[in-house]
Amino acid sequence: GNFDLAVNGNITQAAATSAIKIGGVTTINSNSGDITLNSATNDFIGSVQLTGGSTSIVDANNLLLTSISSTQASVTTGGNLTLSGTINAGSGTISINVNQEFALSPNDNFTMQPGSSIVTTNDSTSAIEITVNSLLGGAGNATLTSLSAGTSGGRIVIDTNSGAILDGNAASLNVTANSTALRALAGVGTASDPLELSVNTLAAIGGSGGVFVTNSKDLSLGQVGATAGLMTTTGNIDVRVNGSLT
């Protein structure tokens, strides 16, 4: 059945070895309290909506996330992660890790459904960090709609390792921030549907799939964290800028 919990304080899973399994819809509201549901064996089968302070959730399998409204957000899944609504962390950081149990389902994906978004005003170099597939393997993709971080110093890093980073909202902006690093060995955007950016600095690795992006303003190609410039193996590079390119 469904699980609906509302408290005025912190909600913490008793032990990392305990497990929560809910077959229906999960709705948790801690007001300003923190929410920590971090057991690696949790299984939220229905959709999940979380409202609180600093919020962290782990699901061993697939997760359908309706929304998170928090002061900081962390989401980890062993399988697919589908976002149907909004993750809004206020001025806090957002960390998403998907397909961390790749050996079971090597192609589990991170999918932002049409109309969904990931939002923070955080201006740090860890404003939004998204990783799909573990370092040991996996070829799941990240399909993006709208992500935005602080435009003075906010950094958005998306790394799918052996997967691709794809556009999920046609010609609308995908990434708004001061800088972004995009790493996807199966390609960043496609020739027919590039990623739309509004950033000051870009670094991207596109592997065999290439790098296909547009930027709405002046753009510098440079070092963004551990990623520098533009690089592919056999893929093409197509960068279009509405302004100057340095």
Side-chain angles (χ1 to χ4, degrees):
N2 297 334
F3 179 72
D4 194 335
L5 177 64
V7 301
N8 188 18
N10 296 335
I11 299 171
T12 304
Q13 194 163 359
T17 55
S18 64
I20 298 172
K21 184 170 183 177
I22 300 172
V25 174
T26 298
T27 305
I28 298 176
N29 186 344
S30 67
N31 290 299
S32 59
D34 296 341
I35 301 173
T36 307
L37 307 173
N38 280 348
S39 171
T41 56
N42 288 340
D43 189 8
F44 299 91
I45 298 171
S47 63
V48 175
Q49 177 178 323
L50 304 175
T51 303
S54 180
T55 299
S56 179
I57 183 171
V58 175
D59 193 310
N61 300 301
N62 301 327
L63 178 62
L64 171 58
L65 190 59
T66 303
S67 67
I68 294 179
S69 179
S70 65
T71 59
Q72 186 172 350
S74 173
V75 181
T76 300
T77 66
N80 295 295
L81 173 61
T82 301
L83 177 63
S84 64
T86 296
I87 298 176
N88 189 330
S91 60
T93 59
I94 297 171
S95 174
I96 295 173
N97 295 278
V98 178
N99 194 23
Q100 299 303 294
E101 294 292 340
F102 76 94
L104 299 178
S105 300
N107 297 321
D108 287 337
N109 303 305
F110 172 49
T111 304
M112 298 178 67
Q113 293 183 339
S116 64
S117 61
I118 297 175
V119 180
T120 179
T121 59
N122 188 278
D123 262 316
S124 76
T125 56
S126 56
I128 299 176
E129 297 180 335
I130 298 173
T131 301
V132 182
N133 310 308
S134 76
L135 292 176
L136 298 177
N141 300 324
T143 299
L144 310 180
T145 54
S146 174
L147 301 92
S148 63
T151 54
S152 296
R155 177 184 296 171
I156 296 177
V157 177
I158 304 171
D159 188 349
T160 65
N161 293 298
S162 295
I165 300 174
L166 304 173
D167 185 0
N169 64 355
S172 298
L173 279 174
N174 299 112
V175 175
T176 301
N178 175 59
S179 63
T180 189
L182 306 172
R183 180 179 181 272
L185 297 184
V188 175
T190 64
S192 61
D193 196 357
L195 296 183
E196 288 81 25
L197 314 177
S198 180
V199 299
N200 297 315
T201 306
L202 167 68
I205 297 175
S208 61
V211 175
F212 301 89
V213 299
T214 67
N215 199 63
S216 66
K217 58 183 179 179
D218 295 347
L219 179 65
S220 294
L221 304 178
Q223 184 91 27
V224 181
T227 306
L230 299 179
M231 183 184 303
T232 67
T233 52
T234 57
N236 296 327
I237 296 176
D238 187 338
V239 177
R240 305 190 182 199
V241 179
N242 186 17
S244 62
L245 178 65
T246 57

